[in-house]
Amino acid sequence: MTLHGKKALVIGGAVGIGRAVCQAFAAAGACVGVADRGWSEEKSSIVAELKASGVDAYCDEVDVRDEGSVSKVIQHAISRFGQLDILVNNAGMTSAGAPMHEQDSALWSEIFATNVNGIAFGMKHVLPHMLERGFGRIINTSSQLAHKPVPNHGAYCASKAAVTALTASVAQEVARRGITVNCVCPGMTDTAMLYKGGAAFVEEKLKALPIGRPGTVAEIAATYVFLASDAAAFFIGQSLSPNGGDVMW
Ligand code: NAI
């Protein structure tokens, strides 16, 4: 599966799953813009890593809760590369969790602003360009928790279910215009986010997980390469689930 000649923007691409997606895209031959927030020296090292694969790469500051900020990084990618073929909306957040009757309302809003609004802004601002060109691949990051919700994480589970539904809705709007919109629903993946819910939560989930271990970021990234490639042209509004067997269908 090659992405040679393709130009990609990964929003939320500096660390974790997003960083692995950038690396996998570059290895497949795509030029990659990496948008994220709070760039440190360690995060910025992604640009040199990607360039070492022989592709063009750069990084950009974005806060996905701010529509203007999302629009700006998309316009920058289009002008920098001359076109944008692939957009990955991967930025997301979770929390330590709380039962619904103790849910902090500000945190609820922040989770939705990041996980849902951010993805909506990304699609809204890239689609005019993709519709004009008659080609595009949009890949949103949802979660297996969209399909198998857990207690005490209502905001996160509901936000990811919203991503899955939003993906399927928009996919139908543009399917006949050369654009595919799909989402990836990763299972437990070995990143900083996994441990936000506490060690006991992870231990409990792993006991019940058929494969018995979390996924690596590289195992998750492979699904994004597939969805971005020509091989996935017939995938419309799908939720693909690299999840170690936690949700099966
Ligand atoms: P992570 O915490 O390492 O990465 C999250 C990324 O989102 C970071 O790059 C962060 O800077 C960015 N981000 C968060 N808020 C932002 C904002 N307001 N503006 C711009 N960027 C922002 O976590 P991980 O695991 O790599 O998560 C990536 C995606 O995968 C998220 O959407 C997450 O919900 C999802 N996911 C993760 C799973 C896991 O087990 N690690 C399982 C299922 C889904």
Side-chain angles (χ1 to χ4, degrees):
M1 271 172 281
T2 175
L3 299 178
H4 279 286
K6 295 288 197 287
K7 318 293 182 196
L9 176 65
V10 179
I11 298 182
V15 299
I17 291 171
R19 190 175 181 112
V21 170
C22 293
Q23 290 161 338
F25 278 3
C31 295
V32 186
V34 191
D36 212 314
R37 65 171 178 179
W39 286 95
S40 60
E41 204 174 310
E42 195 186 339
K43 285 183 178 179
S44 307
S45 63
I46 182 70
V47 175
E49 279 176 30
L50 299 177
K51 285 186 171 171
S53 297
V55 301
D56 188 14
Y58 70 92
C59 62
D60 224 346
E61 177 75 25
V62 69
D63 183 338
V64 299
R65 298 167 298 179
D66 174 358
E67 182 170 0
S69 175
V70 175
S71 168
K72 198 166 145 203
V73 291
I74 289 172
Q75 294 316 317
H76 183 208
I78 293 167
S79 62
R80 162 88 195 228
F81 289 139
Q83 69 193 58
L84 192 56
D85 305 288
I86 304 160
L87 175 68
V88 175
N89 290 306
N90 177 69
M93 64 169 288
T94 187
S95 69
M100 184 49 67
H101 65 280
E102 291 171 10
Q103 174 71 53
D104 178 88
S105 296
L107 184 56
W108 172 280
S109 297
E110 196 189 346
I111 290 173
F112 270 75
T114 306
N115 294 1
V116 185
N117 298 6
I119 286 181
F121 296 151
M123 292 198 286
K124 174 179 169 181
H125 288 283
V126 82
L127 276 170
H129 172 72
M130 289 181 170
L131 286 165
E132 196 184 323
R133 292 184 65 229
F135 182 84
R137 293 273 188 272
I138 298 176
I139 307 165
N140 300 322
T141 301
S142 178
S143 168
Q144 65 160 355
L145 297 183
H147 299 127
K148 189 177 179 180
V150 292
N152 300 324
H153 290 276
Y156 184 80
C157 295
S159 73
K160 291 301 186 177
V163 171
T164 305
L166 180 61
T167 298
S169 173
V170 177
Q172 294 169 69
E173 296 169 13
V174 297
R176 296 182 185 206
R177 308 279 301 270
I179 301 165
T180 69
V181 185
N182 293 287
C183 65
V184 179
C185 296
M188 301 177 77
T189 311
D190 196 8
T191 69
M193 183 180 284
L194 179 60
Y195 303 96
K196 279 265 167 69
F201 170 77
V202 175
E203 205 177 306
E204 202 54 40
K205 285 285 291 175
L206 279 178
K207 268 192 225 155
L209 188 65
I211 202 169
R213 63 165 177 85
T216 66
V217 289
E219 286 172 321
I220 305 302
T223 306
Y224 291 77
V225 177
F226 168 66
L227 286 174
S229 76
D230 291 344
F234 204 55
F235 281 70
I236 302 292
Q238 299 299 307
S239 303
L240 296 197
S241 306
N243 64 25
D246 202 12
V247 180
M248 296 186 187
W249 55 24

